[in-house]
Amino acid sequence: MAAPTHSLDYAGCNFLRQRLILATLSGRPVKIRKIRPRDDSPGLRDFEASFIRLLDKITNGSRIEINQTGTTLYYQPGLLHGGSLEHDCSVLRGIGYYLEALLCLAPFMKRPLLVVLRGVTNDQVDPSVDVLKATAIPLLKQFGIDGESLELKIVRRGMPPGGGGEVLFSCPIRRVLKPILLTDPGKIKRIRGMAYSVRVSPQMANRIVDSARSVLNRFLPDIYIYTDHMKGASSGKSPGFGLSLVAETTNGTFLGAEMASRPQGQGTAVLPEDLGRDCARLLLEEIYRGGCVDSTNQSLALLLMTLGQQDVSKVLLGPLSPYT
């Protein structure tokens, strides 16, 4: 491996994604050693290698070196180029894992980004595309990143372990971000949701809606949960169902919660009624935590505030998530 000049040195696989995102934005090379050296299968995982390939696609002139065992990574970022591209994400993680990074990087590209991502749209680990569409996109608009070209669209759904989903994300570029002042979350005025089912009975989604409403109707009358049953080619390769809920406040704050069924053959099956009730309680907990940004998007808000102008931005957050 080439000897890096003035590179930042890190050890371990923790925060690998954040380190690479911040290195790309700042232009500083990074060297990360000891990536799972004592594991049965040491080095980078498939989903991390896929993320590095995505960074390589959206930048121009990046230099990436990985040793034979995959335990040491050297990354010298190039220029954020953007443009139109396609990427097949690893099915070990959701598309949300890759989208969260693109949301941080897309406004600062040389050309507007238009990317097609393929893989798992909804899983139990990463934020789903539904929640990011309902919460992260309005947050970007607060920073002045808006317009017709800001779009996040689910073309096909894909559940783990097979995946098969497809998502279209486009974002305009901005030279300067607006400072934000989000200190009063306001009162909850309505709740919207999406109950989806793929390769299972369409009745599953209706059962989820009924059980979620049984919890939420005690607090608010304005609740509407859509059902989305995809079939055929647009339903991906694996069966599953789930629910995403978003509460909107009087001041334009969006708080999200979600749950998805377990992948086929992994653990005990989840009943749609239980999933609906648990997801509704998760949303109530998110509302109880408070703040003008939900726990999924705290890190995105803080990063965009840091990259803004010299003017002071203020945001009120609930308890910080471990990720933040």
Side-chain angles (χ1 to χ4, degrees), residues 136-206:
I137 297 295
L139 181 63
L140 288 181
K141 289 178 180 175
Q142 298 267 18
F143 284 95
I145 305 161
D146 52 9
E148 286 181 14
S149 54
L150 180 63
E151 185 188 17
L152 182 53
K153 182 180 171 189
I154 300 175
V155 183
R156 293 201 294 264
R157 280 194 190 278
M159 299 291 287
E166 187 176 305
V167 170
L168 178 84
F169 174 57
S170 64
C171 182
I173 48 175
R174 288 289 177 271
R175 290 281 166 264
V176 178
L177 298 182
K178 279 191 340 195
I180 59 165
L181 190 66
L182 301 175
T183 51
D184 179 15
K187 305 279 187 201
I188 304 295
K189 65 175 179 180
R190 62 168 163 241
I191 292 174
R192 295 290 179 264
M194 174 72 78
Y196 56 86
S197 57
V198 292
R199 297 192 174 270
V200 294
S201 163
Q203 201 56 38
M204 290 287 195
N206 297 332

Side-chain angles (χ1 to χ4, degrees), residues 221-233:
D222 189 0
I223 298 166
Y224 202 93
I225 303 173
Y226 300 88
T227 57
D228 177 23
H229 179 69
M230 288 193 165
K231 48 191 176 184

Side-chain angles (χ1 to χ4, degrees), residues 58 60 79-83 105-112 173 175:
I58 61 174
N60 195 359
L79 297 171
L80 278 167
H81 189 253
L105 298 171
F108 309 104
M109 305 251 174
K110 189 177 178 185
R111 290 161 54 201
I173 48 175
R175 290 281 166 264

Side-chain angles (χ1 to χ4, degrees), residues 220-286:
L220 198 72
D222 189 0
I223 298 166
Y224 202 93
I225 303 173
Y226 300 88
T227 57
D228 177 23
H229 179 69
M230 288 193 165
K231 48 191 176 184
S234 59
S235 64
K237 298 174 182 174
S238 300
F241 52 87
L243 172 65
S244 61
L245 294 170
V246 175
E248 185 184 349
T249 71
T250 49
N251 289 354
T253 293
F254 293 86
L255 306 170
E258 62 178 323
M259 282 195 85
S261 60
R262 288 198 184 98
Q264 195 178 21
Q266 293 183 21
T268 54
V270 181
L271 286 172
E273 286 80 7
D274 293 343
L275 186 139
R277 271 193 300 273
D278 291 346
C279 187
R281 288 178 188 134
L282 271 179
L283 181 69
L284 295 176
E285 187 185 329
E286 191 67 57

